[in-house]
Every structure is written in structure tokens, then in C-alpha cells.
Amino acid sequence: MPIVKYTSADVALMARMMRAEAVGEGKLGMLYVGNVIVNRAKADCLDFTDVRTIREVIFQVQGGNYSFEAVQKGSLFYKGAREVEKRLAKKNLNFWRQHPAKYALWYFNPYAPCPPTWYGQPFTGNFKNHCYYEPAAGTCASVY
């Protein structure tokens, strides 16, 4: 049983986002981004109480901007999904979760060392250029 429900269109959309956000970090980096996407669809807390589908997660607007920079600026996001990224997206949607993004709801590339918190949320680790953050203890049981 998948972690969240999905369609073939969701797989293609998620695959495009994974590539756009982390192609330079290889398959593992793309899987970590996929973890965050799935976790946001699963979470029912904080900034994610009104997103339940992959499409809602990817096109979520916060503070007047899309949550994922690639939606507004990413030329890779607007290219078709490749089979390799689709396989990775399905892997995320069905079962794959791993530290440091296992329970992460946020990531970013600070172009510097990762700060110990990001908007009050604890740092869980980094992979190549991205820093990952999960909800503070006791604030989002639905993501675990």
C-alpha cells in the first residue's frame, strides 16, 4: 500500500520536481526531495494542513510564492519526466524513506553550512548541497 495515494500523472509531476530540484545530487538526492514531497502530502500540521495530493503539494503557494522554487524558476521542471525519475518517484510514493529526509518537511540550499534550525525547525542532516529539517518534537505526529 502506498504511503499516499497517487495517479500516473502524480508520478510524472513528482518526477519532474525531483529532477528540477536535485538532478545535480544524483538519484539519492532526488529520492530525498521525493521524501519531502510525500511527507508534505502525509502531514496534517503546520503549513501543510490543506495539501493532501502530490499536485497540491507541488503547486502550494505560501507567502505569495510557490513552495518549490523550481515551479516558478525551473526550466527543468517544465520538461517531460524521464523514466528514471518516474521509477524514483514511485519508489518514494510506495515505501522509500531515509535519513536525513525521512521525516523532513523542508529543505533548502543555503550556499553555506547548514544552520542548526530553519524557521524554528531542527536540522536533521544534509546531503550534498541541501539541508533537511523536520518538525520540532510534538508538533506534527502525522508525518512520522
Side-chain angles (χ1 to χ4, degrees):
M1 183 165 164
I3 297 171
V4 295
K5 290 182 181 180
Y6 66 90
T7 66
S8 59
D10 293 328
V11 171
L13 182 62
M14 187 167 150
R16 289 172 31 214
M17 181 57 69
M18 292 165 66
R19 180 176 65 188
E21 291 283 325
V23 70
E25 296 183 356
K27 290 179 183 176
L28 189 55
M30 288 188 282
L31 282 167
Y32 288 142
V33 167
N35 271 171
V36 171
I37 294 167
V38 170
N39 290 344
R40 287 181 179 188
K42 187 178 176 202
D44 189 15
C45 59
L46 305 168
D47 296 331
F48 310 104
T49 58
D50 61 350
V51 292
R52 289 291 152 268
T53 68
I54 297 304
R55 182 169 193 74
E56 289 171 345
V57 168
I58 289 175
F59 291 107
Q60 182 184 26
V61 174
Q62 295 176 308
N65 294 307
Y66 288 106
S67 295
F68 293 100
E69 188 175 22
V71 174
Q72 57 197 28
K73 295 182 183 177
S75 61
L76 279 179
F77 178 68
Y78 291 99
K79 294 184 179 185
R82 299 182 302 192
E83 287 305 312
V84 65
E85 288 100 8
K86 286 181 185 179
R87 283 192 300 274
L88 295 173
K90 282 184 183 178
K91 193 172 183 176
N92 278 126
L93 288 160
N94 288 322
F95 67 89
W96 196 91
R97 295 173 90 186
Q98 184 173 301
H99 178 80
K102 187 173 186 175
Y103 305 116
L105 290 175
W106 305 274
Y107 66 88
F108 80 113
N109 179 350
Y111 302 102
C114 298
T117 61
W118 196 52
Y119 293 102
Q121 307 303 322
F123 173 67
T124 57
N126 69 295
F127 182 74
K128 296 190 178 182
N129 294 326
H130 284 111
C131 305
Y132 292 87
Y133 297 82
E134 66 182 47
T139 62
C140 192
S142 58
V143 80
Y144 296 99

